[in-house]
Amino acid sequence: MLAARRPELARLAERVPEDDEEEAVSTIPDERLALVFTCCHPALAVDAQVALTLRLLGGLTTPEIAGAFLTSEATMAQRLVRAKKKIRAAGIPFRVPADDALPERLTGVLATVYLIFNEGYSNGRGELSAEAIRLGRMLAGLMPDDPEVLGLLALMLLQDSHRHARFLGGQLVLLEDQDRWLWDEGEIAEGRALVEAALRRRRPGPYQLQAAIAACHSGDESDWPQIVELYGELLRSQPSPVVELNRAVAVAMAEGPAAGLAAVDAIGGLADYRYLHATRADLLRRLGRGDEALAAYERALELTPEGAEREFLAERVRSVR
């Protein structure tokens, strides 16, 4: 491609702008972050922006992106093809946007960075989560007055603070069973300060609310009643069955497994979501309903790829048989 583009590059290098032509100016301090903004073009739907950026720049495969969007690999592949076709058909320019064009691309950029972080955090790929945090810091430097930017960085830091306690001897350790002495106090302190700075701006958004929830876990004990309230706020601003499931888990911790199971069973649209079945299984196990718990664990196991999570579920299956 470089060989084919050399004549065009030479012309661009020699070109002198007309007197009345305004040059687009960008102060994005990092080339990779600039490319993320470039890919998140507002002519594409946000989901397409994010999926395409994750594929081209984020180091994620199509199956990994499909998992992040709770859809099939075939469906995600079709979305990516459609996005590329639209770029070609509409002649969408591939250039770094000027500073005044950054806000309209921010939603896609934030979602991209967080999904890169999630993929790294969930699957033990430290290089991905570290890169997402680095990009988050760059964003906070570029847009220090945007509370959602601060909220995203806070959220990633607070979640990353648990990294060294999530696995023991290669086995997954649930949040309530983690040794909190292994948590990174520096990341916790920085994350809390960022949450407070973001919320002081009085423009709460999804990343700020998720960061506030993460901060409620960062003390000696998790503040489950407050977490239930915050998930309620998050549901009002960003309705989704995954948020409903997370709220149901908090209800179970605050009010008991029966209340949590009732909340889980009221959720629709997550029939093939492994975490719904794993959550139901755990609540049924805690209620002493072993046969139902076994069936739910086995369904979760069917939906879980190889790795620490699958090994954890396999052990739970053996424990309830």
Side-chain angles (χ1 to χ4, degrees), residues 121 157-167 175 178 180 182-184 187-188 214 217-218:
Y121 184 75
L157 288 168
L158 288 164
Q159 290 184 332
D160 193 63
S161 69
H162 304 167
R163 184 176 69 256
H164 297 300
R166 290 186 71 233
F167 297 93
L175 178 67
Q178 289 177 13
R180 299 192 179 211
L182 296 175
W183 290 2
D184 188 318
E187 286 189 318
I188 289 172
H217 287 299
S218 63

Side-chain angles (χ1 to χ4, degrees), residues 62-63 66 71-84:
T62 301
T71 190
S72 69
E73 181 180 349
T75 298
M76 181 50 63
Q78 290 172 356
R79 287 186 190 175
L80 291 169
V81 168
R82 285 197 298 269
K84 292 175 184 177

Side-chain angles (χ1 to χ4, degrees), residues 175 180 183 216-225 227:
L175 178 67
R180 299 192 179 211
W183 290 2
C216 287
H217 287 299
S218 63
D220 292 335
E221 294 183 355
S222 299
D223 186 347
W224 289 110
I227 291 168

Side-chain angles (χ1 to χ4, degrees), residues 206-247:
Y207 292 109
Q208 296 168 72
L209 289 169
Q210 290 177 80
I213 290 166
C216 287
H217 287 299
S218 63
D220 292 335
E221 294 183 355
S222 299
D223 186 347
W224 289 110
Q226 180 64 34
I227 291 168
V228 173
E229 292 298 319
L230 287 168
Y231 270 124
E233 288 296 320
L234 184 58
L235 268 173
R236 282 185 277 277
S237 68
Q238 192 181 51
S240 94
V242 173
V243 176
E244 288 185 67
L245 179 60
N246 287 326
R247 183 182 179 278

Side-chain angles (χ1 to χ4, degrees), residues 173-200:
V173 182
L174 297 180
L175 178 67
E176 61 266 28
D177 299 324
Q178 289 177 13
D179 181 354
R180 299 192 179 211
W181 288 101
L182 296 175
W183 290 2
D184 188 318
E185 290 296 331
E187 286 189 318
I188 289 172
E190 185 181 0
R192 282 174 163 173
L194 285 165
V195 171
E196 292 170 3
L199 293 176
R200 278 198 298 272

Side-chain angles (χ1 to χ4, degrees), residues 2 10 12 17 19 25-26 52 66 75 85 108-109 123-124 141 152 155 164 208 212 265 287 310 313:
L2 175 60
L12 289 172
D19 290 339
V25 177
S26 173
L52 195 60
T75 298
K85 284 182 177 178
V109 171
N123 295 308
L152 173 61
L155 174 59
H164 297 300
Q208 296 168 72
D265 286 342
L287 289 167
R310 185 175 178 83
L313 289 170

Side-chain angles (χ1 to χ4, degrees), residues 117 129-137 153 156-157 160 187:
F117 174 84
S129 50
E131 176 63 9
I133 290 173
R134 190 187 71 82
L135 293 173
R137 291 191 188 282
L153 179 56
M156 292 191 296
L157 288 168
D160 193 63
E187 286 189 318

